[in-house]
């Protein structure tokens, strides 16, 4: 809700549809709505602030002769550790091939074999080769480049770059627009964008943690904004760590794609021992949460963790995986002849804004797609390369739903002055955010327990009290939701591991649904009990 101090002026006319976020979900939705007028608000130049552009593996789709929808759904259910919404997952998987053909039509140069068929690869926890890739590890970049070119050539899509959305405008039970700050969020001016429909595609939460593979813009602001406006949030405790971020001290950490392990690369300690074979029968191809904990344990024990690609990839590395190769070479590592040092890093948030099969949230007028959501298709642990699939499938569903609900576009003034404010924060340089990131990594990271989560809750409460800035309030709200969900779930499942409750519990085989009011109550009760 808007505060009185920052309430926008009233304007005649409204923009028809505002999409928040210039990643895969946002751009795909805009294209699917064409030729209907759409305004896309992006915090960074489109393609530069989105995790989609950094995705290395590709898109999972059951498209080979030996594959099937049932098989892909079964793998998704297994990875999701018992709480996947099967109906939603089946919808997503069934529509995957059609969305791949959409991307091909937009010019995405997916890899093909000599006969022109799509070249499919395998990743961890997939029973078939169903990953559609581009040049080994360049799928995200190639997809985004194709979509950006198409968006810029589409007259009905207005792209406003450098606009950081800070608030949802709520009027009664409806979301009626957004308030954004231009100049990458550093302007004193605030602009209101009234709208008949708002689609949140603002990305993930990686920069709530110290080590992440996500761009800086992925700091959880979308989830926090929606929660503060009253939206229901689902499964916030489930955070996926990628086990093989390249450990070279960069923020964000570059990624050594899972496709390397799919092609036979091994995880070893500094003595050359393949430690994953002692942890899981699938070794390096075990589900990500298991591999992440295995890597975390080796690093914590001082034995180090390294991805050995010398035999599996060897001299073909520069051509087969150019992105990973370039990151390694920039750090003085030659992956052709040297193992790559790795560490777990926050990679994906299975939780987020609760949506239905059409991308509708619990607030009228607000839709959401991509990592900011929790559709239920990932459960407790996302299956590799299902994230880009989810983004395009549900972005298309949102476009169809909006066209059906609001068949006639309405024209009018599409923006207005919402006043000025000195309430600025450069998110990536904020000492408050640095403290929050350290706290979340230390106490709500790969391994959690009640004592650590209570410490995180107290720190969050202090930061909230001492830093009454709007954008930081969105960020810290998302951190609070993650901690509240983790405190409630007294078991270990998928991306959520509690050392004080190391086994899954049958009574917890369900999703989490909460509002910010409920999260506040969980955190307040827990911290008060701890103090007593």
């Amino acid at each position: 809700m808007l505060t009185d101090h920052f309430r926008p002026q009233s304007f005649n006319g409204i923009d028809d549809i505002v999409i928040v976020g210039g990643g895969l979900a946002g751009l795909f939705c805009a294209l699917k709505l064409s030729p209907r007028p759409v305004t896309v608000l992006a915090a960074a130049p489109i393609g530069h602030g989105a995790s989609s552009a950094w995705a290395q593996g590709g898109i999972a789709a059951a498209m080979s002769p030996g594959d099937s929808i049932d098989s892909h759904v079964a793998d998704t259910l297994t990875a999701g550790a018992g709480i996947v919404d099967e109906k939603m997952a089946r919808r997503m998987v069934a529509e995957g091939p059609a969305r791949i053909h959409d991307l091909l039509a937009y010019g995405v140069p997916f890899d093909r074999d000599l006969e022109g068929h799509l070249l499919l690869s395998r990743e961890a926890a997939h029973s078939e080769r169903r990953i559609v890739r581009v040049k080994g590890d360049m799928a995200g970049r190639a997809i985004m480049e194709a979509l950006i070119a198409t968006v810029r050539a589409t007259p009905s899509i207005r792209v406003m770059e450098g606009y950081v959305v800070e608030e949802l405008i709520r009027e009664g039970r409806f979301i009626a627009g957004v308030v954004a700050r231009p100049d990458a969020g550093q302007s004193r001016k605030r602009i209101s964008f009234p709208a008949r429909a708002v689609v949140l595609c603002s990305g993930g939460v990686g920069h709530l943690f110290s080590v992440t593979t996500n761009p800086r813009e992925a700091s959880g602001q979308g989830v926090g904004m929606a929660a503060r406006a009253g939206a229901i949030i689902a499964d916030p405790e489930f955070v996926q760590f990628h086990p093989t971020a390249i450990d070279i001290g960069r923020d964000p950490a570059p990624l050594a794609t899972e496709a390397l392990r799919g092609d036979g690369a091994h995880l070893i300690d500094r003595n050359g021992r393949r430690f994953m074979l002692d942890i899981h029968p699938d070794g390096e191809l075990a589900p990500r949460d298991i591999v992440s904990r295995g890597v975390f344990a080796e690093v914590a024990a001082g034995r180090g963790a390294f991805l050995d690609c010398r035999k599996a990839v060897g001299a073909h590395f520069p051509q087969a995986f150019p992105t990973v190769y370039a990151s390694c070479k920039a750090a003085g590592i030659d992956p052709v002849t040297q193992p790559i040092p790795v560490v777990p890093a926050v990679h994906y948030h299975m939780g987020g804004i609760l949506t239905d099969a059409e991308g509708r949230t619990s607030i009228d007028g607000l839709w959401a797609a991509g990592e900011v959501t929790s559709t239920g298709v990932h459960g407790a642990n996302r299956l590799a390369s299902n994230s880009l699939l989810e983004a395009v499938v549900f972005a298309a569903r949102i476009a169809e739903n909006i066209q059906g609900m609001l068949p006639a576009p309405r024209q009018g003034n599409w923006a207005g002055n919402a006043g000025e404010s000195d309430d600025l924060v450069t998110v990536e340089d904020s000492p408050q955010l640095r403290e929050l990131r350290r706290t979340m990594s230390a106490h709500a990271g790969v391994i959690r327990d009640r004592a650590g989560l209570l410490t995180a809750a107290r720190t969050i409460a202090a930061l909230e009290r001492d830093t009454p800035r709007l954008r930081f309030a969105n960020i810290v709200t998302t951190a609070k939701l993650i901690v509240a969900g983790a405190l409630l779930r007294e078991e270990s499942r998928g991306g959520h591991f509690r050392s004080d409750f190391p086994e899954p519990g049958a009574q917890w085989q369900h999703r989490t649904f909460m509002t910010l009011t409920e999260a506040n109550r969980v955190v307040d009760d827990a911290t008060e009990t701890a103090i007593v």
Side-chain angles (χ1 to χ4, degrees):
M1 298 286 285
L2 292 175
T3 62
D4 290 336
H5 183 64
F6 292 133
R7 187 171 297 281
Q9 301 170 16
S10 177
F11 297 96
N12 294 322
I14 55 176
D15 200 33
D16 193 44
I17 301 168
V18 169
I19 296 175
V20 180
L24 175 59
L27 298 188
F28 198 85
C29 187
L31 287 168
K32 280 293 187 179
L33 283 162
S34 174
R36 186 172 186 138
V38 173
T39 296
V40 176
L41 301 177
I46 53 176
H48 290 274
S51 297
S52 313
W54 297 11
Q56 294 180 0
I59 301 183
M63 301 185 72
S64 69
D67 203 358
S68 68
I69 291 171
D70 287 342
S71 176
H72 191 172
V73 170
D75 290 345
T76 300
L77 294 175
T78 299
I83 63 168
V84 171
D85 184 324
E86 185 173 353
K87 289 183 179 179
M88 293 284 277
R90 187 167 292 277
R91 287 189 180 101
M92 176 185 75
V93 169
E95 295 173 24
R99 301 291 78 81
I100 296 295
H101 286 295
D102 285 340
L103 292 169
L104 286 166
Y106 292 140
V108 178
F110 289 122
D111 293 342
R112 296 179 183 270
D113 61 21
L114 294 176
E115 296 180 348
H117 303 299
L118 288 174
L119 198 60
L120 303 173
S121 64
R122 185 184 172 201
E123 290 183 352
H126 285 275
S127 58
E128 300 288 343
R129 299 180 73 87
R130 64 168 67 100
I131 313 304
V132 187
R133 296 195 295 184
V134 179
K135 295 181 181 178
D137 62 3
M138 297 179 66
R141 182 187 307 175
I143 291 168
M144 289 302 294
E145 286 175 353
L147 291 190
I148 289 167
T150 307
V151 164
R152 295 205 186 280
T154 304
S156 62
I157 302 174
R158 178 191 298 117
V159 178
M160 310 285 288
E161 295 168 300
Y163 280 74
V164 176
V165 176
E166 296 183 335
E167 286 184 286
L168 299 171
I169 302 171
R170 181 160 184 171
E171 296 180 356
R173 64 187 182 89
F174 293 95
I175 295 298
V178 303
V179 176
R181 196 186 295 270
D183 300 331
Q186 297 310 301
S187 174
R188 286 172 52 87
K189 183 186 299 182
R190 282 160 47 89
I191 307 293
S192 69
F193 293 84
R196 299 173 76 198
V198 173
V199 184
L200 269 182
C201 304
S202 52
V205 304
H207 272 264
L208 291 179
F209 297 79
S210 292
V211 183
T212 179
T213 62
N214 294 172
R216 295 183 185 278
E217 289 78 8
S219 56
Q221 291 198 58
V223 171
M225 267 191 294
R228 294 178 70 229
I232 297 172
I233 306 302
D235 303 332
E237 66 270 32
F238 293 113
V239 179
Q240 185 177 79
F241 287 76
H242 198 292
T244 54
I246 304 174
D247 189 15
I248 52 177
R250 279 174 48 188
D251 182 23
L255 181 65
T257 174
E258 193 162 294
L260 286 162
R261 285 176 282 135
D263 284 357
H266 296 154
L267 283 164
I268 60 174
D269 63 16
R270 66 178 72 258
N271 297 316
R273 181 179 66 92
R274 281 185 65 187
F275 55 85
M276 281 306 303
L277 293 177
D278 298 332
I279 298 173
H280 194 278
D282 290 338
E284 288 82 3
L285 293 181
R288 281 181 175 174
D289 60 301
I290 296 173
V291 181
S292 290
R293 289 195 294 275
V295 172
F296 180 84
E298 295 302 307
V299 173
R303 293 185 290 270
F306 303 84
L307 187 63
D308 188 356
C309 309
R310 292 173 293 182
K311 183 177 179 181
V313 184
H316 300 292
F317 211 119
Q319 295 76 36
F321 299 97
T323 306
V324 181
Y325 184 77
S327 295
C328 290
K329 291 294 285 186
I333 300 166
D334 182 1
V336 174
T337 60
Q338 296 173 278
I340 305 168
V342 294
V343 67
V346 173
H347 188 59
Y348 192 84
H349 190 208
M350 280 75 73
I353 305 165
L354 177 66
T355 66
D356 66 10
E358 314 308 328
R360 295 175 297 199
T361 73
S362 58
I363 310 177
D364 289 339
L366 180 65
W367 288 256
E371 193 175 350
V372 75
T373 70
S374 181
T375 61
V377 301
H378 303 306
N381 192 30
R382 175 181 66 99
L383 181 66
S385 291
N386 266 358
S387 54
L388 299 187
L389 175 65
E390 178 196 34
V392 293
V393 165
F394 288 98
R397 282 179 156 264
I398 287 171
E400 184 178 354
N401 187 248
I402 289 175
Q403 298 280 31
M405 292 184 67
L406 307 174
R410 188 180 299 175
Q411 303 295 328
N413 289 333
W414 52 269
N417 179 17
E420 293 190 353
S421 166
D422 290 320
D423 181 28
L424 304 180
V425 54
T426 303
V427 171
E428 60 268 26
D429 295 328
S430 162
Q432 293 88 352
L433 182 59
R434 289 196 293 271
E435 182 178 357
L436 180 63
R437 294 181 73 189
R438 286 192 297 268
T439 298
M440 292 296 285
S441 283
H443 303 300
V446 177
I447 297 178
R448 305 160 172 177
D449 61 26
R450 180 174 175 80
L453 291 168
L454 290 176
T455 298
R458 287 191 290 270
T459 299
I460 286 169
L463 287 169
E464 222 174 10
R465 181 182 62 247
D466 299 338
T467 315
R469 289 171 167 170
L470 186 56
R471 253 186 292 166
F472 188 75
N474 293 331
I475 293 169
V476 79
T477 291
T478 304
K480 177 186 285 186
L481 287 158
I482 292 171
V483 169
L487 276 166
L488 280 177
R489 188 171 287 274
E490 294 183 336
E491 66 156 357
S492 292
R493 185 182 298 272
H496 167 72
F497 186 85
R498 294 246 331 226
S499 59
D500 48 350
F501 296 96
E503 300 298 326
Q507 72 274 27
W508 290 104
Q509 193 170 334
H510 59 76
R511 299 180 66 197
T512 299
F513 304 104
M514 67 170 60
T515 62
L516 179 56
T517 298
E518 292 162 344
N520 285 334
R521 184 164 57 247
V522 170
V523 170
D524 290 345
D525 289 349
T527 51
E528 287 173 8
T529 301
I531 292 171
V532 172

